[in-house]
Amino acid sequence: MVDDGEHDDRLSAVVALAQAMAAEPDLPGGVAAAAEGALRALRGSFAAVSVWERERGRLRVLVNAGELDEDEERLPADESYPVHNFPEIAEFLHEEWVGGRPHAWVERADGPDECAVYTGHRVASLRRHRRSSCVIAPIVLHGRAWGELYVARPEGAPVFDRKDADFATVLAAVTAAGIVQTERLEEVRRLAYTDPLTGLGNRRAVDARLDEAVERHLAEGVVVSLVVCDLNGLKRVNDTLGHAQGDRLLERFGSLLSLCGARLPGALAARLGGDEFCLLSVGPPADEVVRAAEELCLSAGRLELGEGVACGIASTGDPIGEVRSARRLFRLADAAQYRAKAAGSRKPVVAGRDGGLADPVVRLADRPPRPAAAERRRFRGRRG
């Protein structure tokens, strides 16, 4: 039996774990909070949360918490174990717990007890790390085993018992609920920063990433480059072939832009709206960005629909003067794109490469702003 004081302590621990997971913005933070909370709640010395990757047939550790041995990392890059080493994951979990209530169990370094399900690798691990016992609680999402919550105690500490296993079952259920909530929030955030037609980033994603990139440029000198693209001929396609074909053109160009971005590590490909796209690169030299944009222009010119693309580029790696705001870099790239479109250029126009600060593109971007009504729609509402 659990006395009233212990019951209250455990109830408080459950509430604290749920609150800690809810406070984390993403899955890594959430499972780390779950491991830390379970560690405290079960008075363990070590805890881990792992996920069952069915497609790879392995149990992969997401986070380790507590007292770690030399071969254990808090956030392991690739600590995983073949599922056949843990048959309870592949067999016992699936056959007995899916669709029912999952129950945790205990393993001991000195051999199985009445709570044990399997030994082998579990016991060997306990002995290798000088731990007396562990409790393993399955994490079940949507009726399927998602992974496990694992908590261990050191040599000399009281071994886990059936009451601890029952409590670990509750903690795993709270962890599962937290993971589901985190996944929902991540999906909402993903949709908020994604263009629904092309699957690329949207204007909100560009604004956020560009502000961060300019801050890095100012603090570290990292090269930030922005490619602004205007897809030619979209209106003609919509008017003559219908909007379904216009959407197809947007999707096809979006795929080309994504491939172009793949040549630049960490680049963000985005649709700003309508026929306007952009590519944000942080790190690679300006010349690499220009070469990628040149390939993009060539590929867009070969599409069966549309009339190619007008591209403008602004990079802090070129002589464009000081860039202290995202707005200025955007204005430079937009001015370069405007010049490319006006000239019918099949290649990108790059700000600053035709005379530095005397470059017509730079002068166009930096001239005093016109009245708000004459501002191009792209710049409305942007911060200075």
Side-chain angles (χ1 to χ4, degrees), residues 75 96 162 224 259 281 283 310 320 363 368:
L75 298 173
E96 297 199 22
R162 180 74 265 167
V224 180
L259 289 173
S281 171
I320 57 175
R363 294 171 62 188

Side-chain angles (χ1 to χ4, degrees), residues 283-323:
D287 285 345
E288 288 187 21
V289 177
V290 172
R291 284 194 291 271
E294 287 173 346
E295 288 294 326
L296 174 66
C297 290
L298 288 174
S299 298
R302 292 193 288 263
L303 289 175
E304 66 276 14
L305 296 171
E307 301 165 11
V309 64
C311 282
I313 303 174
S315 174
T316 61
D318 283 322
I320 57 175
E322 190 176 30
V323 174

Side-chain angles (χ1 to χ4, degrees), residues 252-268:
R252 290 283 291 114
F253 181 73
S255 296
L256 293 180
L257 186 64
S258 181
L259 289 173
C260 172
R263 298 179 53 181
L264 303 167
L268 171 66

